[in-house]
Amino acid sequence: MSRIGKKPVIIPDGVEVKIEDHVLTAKGPLGTESVEFRPEISVKIENNEVIVDVHNHEDRKSRALWGLTRTLINNAVEGVKHGFTKKLEIQGVGYRANMEGSNLNLVLGYSHPILITPPEGIKIAVEANTKITVSGSNKQLVGDVAAEIRGKRPPEVYKGKGVRYEGEYVRRKAGKTGKK
């Protein structure tokens, strides 16, 4: 039995959920998200809750998808109601970020600036030239865009310069010791 899969997903006020042809659609104040689920999984709406179950509890593949499906549905419902955010920090002399319209312009020590265009449904905000906030209703897309930004200059281990997630710990290495 899946401990996560057994929990019902509570539908908050202001969110509308529909199920059609193995696709669950959640509509809320921040947009619309869809989750496609496998035929081995049964999803139904009862008493303002989404209940996820498997048709055959003996099938190992079905049980493996049970908790995953429930989590994806919960993320869709949570995303259209509250949204998700990832925060990044830039550390390093001369490293900075600014917005050009809806695009993110990064200066990270390369010979050219880096321009990142966010996909539809994702908002990027910059505060104080070194703090970037990525937000949206799709948890996976928010994480992918944040990882793309971080991947342009990941933090290096000697001085800690680069783009990192807020609160991320970068293990530092000692440099060369010099002459003996």
Side-chain angles (χ1 to χ4, degrees):
M1 297 291 283
S2 171
R3 283 183 271 171
I4 295 173
K6 286 191 291 186
K7 292 181 188 176
V9 177
I10 297 164
I11 302 170
D13 294 338
V15 176
E16 185 181 318
V17 177
K18 286 190 243 173
I19 301 171
E20 291 179 1
D21 298 330
H22 299 292
V23 175
L24 180 134
T25 307
K27 191 174 191 180
L30 295 179
T32 304
E33 291 294 326
S34 298
V35 176
E36 194 171 330
F37 55 91
R38 300 284 305 237
E40 296 99 348
I41 307 291
S42 69
V43 178
K44 55 189 173 224
I45 301 170
E46 292 178 1
N47 301 335
N48 217 21
E49 294 178 335
V50 179
I51 298 168
V52 182
D53 201 5
V54 291
H55 295 300
N56 182 7
H57 287 275
E58 303 301 317
D59 184 25
R60 192 176 173 108
K61 184 177 180 186
S62 298
R63 288 195 325 257
L65 295 170
W66 188 8
L68 170 72
T69 305
R70 189 258 180 213
T71 302
L72 292 175
I73 290 169
N74 186 50
N75 287 344
V77 170
E78 189 74 23
V80 297
K81 179 66 177 177
H82 303 292
F84 296 100
T85 60
K86 285 265 189 181
K87 296 186 180 211
L88 299 130
E89 300 172 340
I90 299 175
Q91 290 188 355
V93 177
Y95 291 7
R96 62 186 181 278
N98 63 338
M99 296 299 295
E100 291 181 358
S102 64
N103 299 332
L104 177 67
N105 185 16
L106 297 169
V107 178
L108 298 174
Y110 296 115
S111 61
H112 58 283
I114 299 164
L115 196 67
I116 295 178
T117 305
E120 189 174 323
I122 299 294
K123 294 184 190 91
I124 299 176
V126 176
E127 52 190 71
N129 286 340
T130 59
K131 303 221 183 282
I132 303 169
T133 304
V134 181
S135 59
S137 62
N138 188 328
K139 187 173 188 176
Q140 181 177 354
L141 207 51
V142 168
D144 287 347
V145 171
E148 180 188 351
I149 294 169
R150 183 184 182 275
K152 297 301 178 184
R153 179 71 85 174
E156 54 99 19
V157 294
Y158 294 105
K159 293 185 180 178
K161 293 169 37 170
V163 181
R164 63 176 75 182
Y165 296 114
E166 187 177 65
E168 178 183 0
Y169 173 73
V170 177
R171 199 172 132 249
R172 304 285 289 272
K173 291 170 88 174
K176 294 183 177 180
T177 57
K179 289 185 177 181
K180 289 187 177 182

